[in-house]
Amino acid sequence: MGNVVKSTYKTKQQELLLSYLKKQGSVHFTAEDVRRHFASKEISIGIATIYRQLEKLVAEGKVQKYFIDEHSAACFQYVAESCPHDEEHFHLKCEKCGVLVHLECDELSEIKKHLEEEHGFSINPFRTVLYGLCEKCRKLA
């Protein structure tokens, strides 16, 4: 009987996590963001469980994992219903407030193409981040 309860509890955690991710849409988040969300609702899901479930969803193609830089935690994005897996996928990161913006832009596609054709260099679209200041932070400066 203990196994049934454990299995049900695990399934409940998976359902809660998937429901949360679907509500996030195309917003990027970290495992710590997920943990904080559930903690604020007084739902205890350990960080190791969150990572395990996120990695499972990555393997299933429902979540995309991004590495912004070597100093930051991996970011995740729910993509099963909201974001196609294409090559023209870039990010903007504000150096002041840290906001991460998902960006699809035809001009950046041309830059990617130029780098491949003229320089023989293929960029990794899941590790492509342009740093600067977001509109909000520029207004405050």
Side-chain angles (χ1 to χ4, degrees), residues 7 13 19 33 44 88 93 107 116 121 138:
S7 177
Q13 287 179 331
S19 174
D33 293 334
S44 178
E88 286 70 49
K93 182 165 183 168
E107 285 79 11
E116 289 172 354
F121 191 82
R138 281 189 16 244

Side-chain angles (χ1 to χ4, degrees), residues 66-70 72-75 91 93 100 126-127 129 131:
Y66 299 98
F67 298 96
I68 304 307
D69 59 45
E70 61 276 358
S72 301
C75 284
H91 296 88
K93 182 165 183 168
L100 184 67
F126 300 114
R127 292 188 60 112
V129 180
Y131 292 87

Side-chain angles (χ1 to χ4, degrees), residues 105-112:
C105 183
D106 290 338
E107 285 79 11
L108 291 174
S109 299
E110 290 301 315
I111 291 171
K112 179 183 180 296

Side-chain angles (χ1 to χ4, degrees), residues 1-20:
M1 258 176 84
N3 288 341
V4 174
V5 173
K6 183 178 179 183
S7 177
T8 303
Y9 181 68
K10 183 176 178 186
T11 300
K12 183 67 173 167
Q13 287 179 331
Q14 290 170 345
E15 289 173 11
L16 287 170
L17 180 60
L18 198 52
S19 174
Y20 170 76

Side-chain angles (χ1 to χ4, degrees), residues 28-90:
H28 295 86
F29 55 87
T30 65
E32 180 58 24
D33 293 334
V34 175
R35 188 204 62 75
R36 272 196 304 268
H37 165 78
F38 286 114
S40 74
K41 305 248 183 245
E42 297 184 6
I43 299 170
S44 178
I45 302 178
I47 194 75
T49 299
I50 292 168
Y51 272 112
R52 209 170 25 255
Q53 293 300 319
L54 287 173
E55 291 298 338
K56 179 182 174 197
L57 293 167
V58 167
E60 293 172 358
K62 294 179 181 175
V63 169
Q64 181 62 53
K65 184 176 184 178
Y66 299 98
F67 298 96
I68 304 307
D69 59 45
E70 61 276 358
H71 305 293
S72 301
C75 284
F76 298 89
Q77 178 186 27
Y78 181 71
V79 295
E81 299 165 0
S82 62
C83 176
H85 285 70
D86 60 21
E87 293 296 311
E88 286 70 49
H89 193 111
F90 299 86

